[in-house]
Amino acid sequence: MKSVEDLEDKNVLVLGMAKSGVSAALLLHRLRANVLVNDANANQPQELIEKLENKGIRMVLGEHPANILSQNKIELIVKNPGIPYTNPVLVDAQARGIKIVSEPELAYWIMDSELIGVTGSNGKTTVTTLIQLMLDDNKKHAYVAGNIGVPATTVAQKATAEDKIVMELSSFMLAGIDRLHPHIAVLNNIFASHLDWHKTRENYVNDKMNITKNQTKDDFLVINWDNTEWQELAKRTQAKVVPFSRQGLTKSGAYEIEGKLYFKDELIMEADEIGIPGEQNVENALAAIAVAKIEKVSTAHIKQVLTTFGGVKHRIQYVENLNGRQFYNDSKATDIEATQVALRSFKKPVILIAGGLDRHDDLDRLIPDLEPNVKEVIVNGETAEKFKKIAQKAGISVIKDSSRVSESVEIAYQDSKEGDIILLSPAAASWDQYKTFEERGDEFIAAVQNLHKGE
């Protein structure tokens, strides 16, 4: 871990608790900063509060006081990624010229390890996990961190110069970087997403592209080549561009042709040998292959990882086969594009469980993906009425309401037949009813298990 001497005695505000905020506060305390933690939610887990109290770290919970910056002479803010820059404290900070960074940026300041950064609208977690599995061995460790649920500041303190950190970076995180510099950056794809936060698609794209803004000619940008916009974005980097293409549009990186996966002119494996279903997972595999080959991982090990990998929890996660009905948990599908990807993964009849926080997205974009195989839609949450309307437009005759995901599972099972797919893929965030998408997905899994117990 590198020392950061200019943080000693500096007045630093950590805005937002959660796991990453607590981790950042503890690191800043270790670096001898004067730390203040502020969260508008007073109802914080007691164990997190005790962690900070035991170090003597000050907290202000339950509100964002208007004078918090001036009263505490704040010189730096480390913010929770989800807090928008329209937050009054951040507006005041920008007016005062106070630097605002995200928790991964702070982690980078102390990082000894090589950094591999992964971003994109969809597939980030799967790609991050695949890369970590491909790079980790008995001699050197590869750690995952970031948006995957592991605070970057926690991992950066234990990873050595011999290790690698594979960091999943959301657009929210990338909006708050300054010096963060991945040796290898991965841009999996970019769609319209989180526009309630970013306001415009241009802002969203620019924040995503921050992943490569500090890269040089000695670094690598691994980027999806199957869209002309993404090809144009590749011109904005100083790094060496390594493309990947499921459509075989390039042979200078990783690509698929006639059901076979290659890196440059080397055959890696058959596409249908990948252990998780769907065209999107071919793209995820190609991105991971490109990184692994840059890092000189053997083809045998790459193939072993891809054939045995069973998927990431909450991301088109296979849960169970109950009396010929297959249940899949895709709670991480918090936007339209992710649900489109999930629906395209199945050819059998689908009962779709959908709905959640209303971000005012254009749900009509889902209609072409609902039409082929979806036989029934069960809706809940703020977007329930909107989902009913698009399901009707898609010609789906069975549309039902439910109060929660657990009730949706019961309805779906009662209505299903042998051979059906029962899929939770909400196309919406979880925050109207659940604290996290993980909590929503865990409720789905528990409900499926309860069905099994009742048989």
Side-chain angles (χ1 to χ4, degrees), residues 259-296:
K260 300 179 187 296
L261 308 186
Y262 295 84
F263 184 77
K264 297 185 177 179
D265 58 353
E266 180 185 4
L267 175 64
I268 305 298
M269 61 188 292
E270 300 284 336
D272 61 10
E273 292 179 298
I274 297 172
I276 42 180
E279 294 177 347
Q280 79 284 357
N281 284 315
V282 174
E283 292 185 356
N284 295 336
L286 290 170
I289 288 168
V291 174
K293 279 301 177 181
I294 292 169
E295 294 284 356
K296 299 184 174 12

Side-chain angles (χ1 to χ4, degrees), residues 339-406:
T339 295
Q340 288 175 320
V341 164
L343 291 172
R344 293 169 190 172
S345 300
F346 301 105
K347 304 303 180 187
K348 295 180 179 180
V350 172
I351 297 177
L352 175 66
I353 300 170
L357 184 74
D358 191 353
R359 281 175 161 163
H360 309 292
D361 292 330
D362 179 14
L363 293 176
D364 281 2
R365 289 185 285 142
L366 271 174
I367 292 172
D369 297 289
L370 294 170
E371 290 172 332
N373 300 312
V374 177
K375 59 182 278 190
E376 179 175 340
V377 173
I378 304 168
V379 298
N380 60 74
E382 289 181 0
T383 55
E385 293 303 316
K386 290 186 176 181
F387 265 105
K388 287 181 186 178
K389 290 177 182 177
I390 67 149
Q392 289 169 350
K393 290 181 182 179
I396 298 168
S397 57
V398 183
I399 304 168
K400 295 188 177 182
D401 285 292
S402 72
S403 60
R404 293 180 65 88
V405 164
S406 53

Side-chain angles (χ1 to χ4, degrees), residues 35-195:
V35 187
L36 174 65
V37 176
N38 176 220
D39 197 299
N41 181 7
N43 186 25
Q44 298 294 333
Q46 187 59 34
E47 65 270 19
L48 297 186
I49 292 175
E50 289 176 0
K51 272 189 178 182
L52 299 180
E53 286 181 337
N54 290 340
K55 296 291 184 180
I57 295 172
R58 294 182 299 142
M59 285 169 277
V60 176
L61 304 178
E63 62 173 337
H64 293 308
N67 62 349
I68 194 168
L69 301 180
S70 58
Q71 188 176 50
N72 296 280
K73 299 179 180 179
I74 297 299
E75 301 167 87
L76 172 69
I77 296 176
V78 179
K79 79 174 195 70
N80 181 287
I83 298 175
Y85 285 87
T86 53
N87 177 284
V89 173
L90 298 179
V91 171
D92 187 22
Q94 291 172 88
R96 294 171 182 269
I98 298 171
K99 180 179 282 190
I100 304 165
V101 299
S102 64
E103 185 255 353
E105 172 69 20
L106 174 63
Y108 183 75
W109 294 353
I110 65 159
M111 195 179 295
D112 280 323
S113 311
E114 177 185 307
L115 174 62
I116 298 167
V118 180
T119 197
S121 298
N122 295 310
K124 297 184 295 296
T125 300
T126 299
V127 173
T128 299
T129 305
L130 287 172
I131 293 170
Q132 184 270 331
L133 291 171
M134 290 177 185
L135 299 187
D136 196 62
D137 60 34
N138 294 327
K139 298 177 182 177
K140 299 176 184 179
H141 291 294
Y143 296 93
V144 294
N147 196 55
I148 200 167
V150 183
T153 44
T154 300
V155 175
Q157 292 179 72
K158 67 181 179 182
T160 71
E162 298 300 313
D163 300 328
K164 300 181 192 298
I165 296 177
V166 189
M167 192 179 295
E168 179 182 331
L169 294 162
S170 69
S171 56
F172 304 154
M173 292 172 169
L174 289 168
I177 70 163
D178 180 27
R179 289 179 273 160
L180 185 140
H181 179 169
H183 177 52
I184 304 174
V186 180
L187 181 60
N188 217 34
N189 46 57
I190 292 185
F191 302 107
S193 189
H194 304 304
L195 299 189

Side-chain angles (χ1 to χ4, degrees), residues 316-454:
I316 319 183
Q317 173 201 3
Y318 174 71
V319 177
E320 190 167 349
N321 186 319
L322 183 58
N323 293 326
R325 287 85 164 160
Q326 291 181 307
F327 292 82
Y328 285 86
N329 165 30
D330 191 34
S331 184
K332 183 61 173 67
T334 57
D335 57 37
I336 292 167
E337 286 76 19
T339 295
Q340 288 175 320
V341 164
L343 291 172
R344 293 169 190 172
S345 300
F346 301 105
K347 304 303 180 187
K348 295 180 179 180
V350 172
I351 297 177
L352 175 66
I353 300 170
L357 184 74
D358 191 353
R359 281 175 161 163
H360 309 292
D361 292 330
D362 179 14
L363 293 176
D364 281 2
R365 289 185 285 142
L366 271 174
I367 292 172
D369 297 289
L370 294 170
E371 290 172 332
N373 300 312
V374 177
K375 59 182 278 190
E376 179 175 340
V377 173
I378 304 168
V379 298
N380 60 74
E382 289 181 0
T383 55
E385 293 303 316
K386 290 186 176 181
F387 265 105
K388 287 181 186 178
K389 290 177 182 177
I390 67 149
Q392 289 169 350
K393 290 181 182 179
I396 298 168
S397 57
V398 183
I399 304 168
K400 295 188 177 182
D401 285 292
S402 72
S403 60
R404 293 180 65 88
V405 164
S406 53
E407 184 185 1
S408 299
V409 170
E410 294 174 5
I411 295 170
Y413 184 62
Q414 290 169 4
D415 293 352
S416 64
K417 296 180 179 179
E418 186 175 345
D420 287 349
I421 303 292
I422 297 175
L423 170 67
L424 169 66
S425 190
S430 59
W431 303 321
D432 57 336
Q433 291 181 297
Y434 303 91
K435 291 180 181 178
T436 63
F437 71 82
E438 291 96 340
E439 182 181 296
R440 178 171 63 187
D442 287 341
E443 181 171 305
F444 177 84
I445 294 169
V448 174
Q449 292 170 344
N450 285 335
L451 288 177
H452 186 73
K453 290 176 185 176

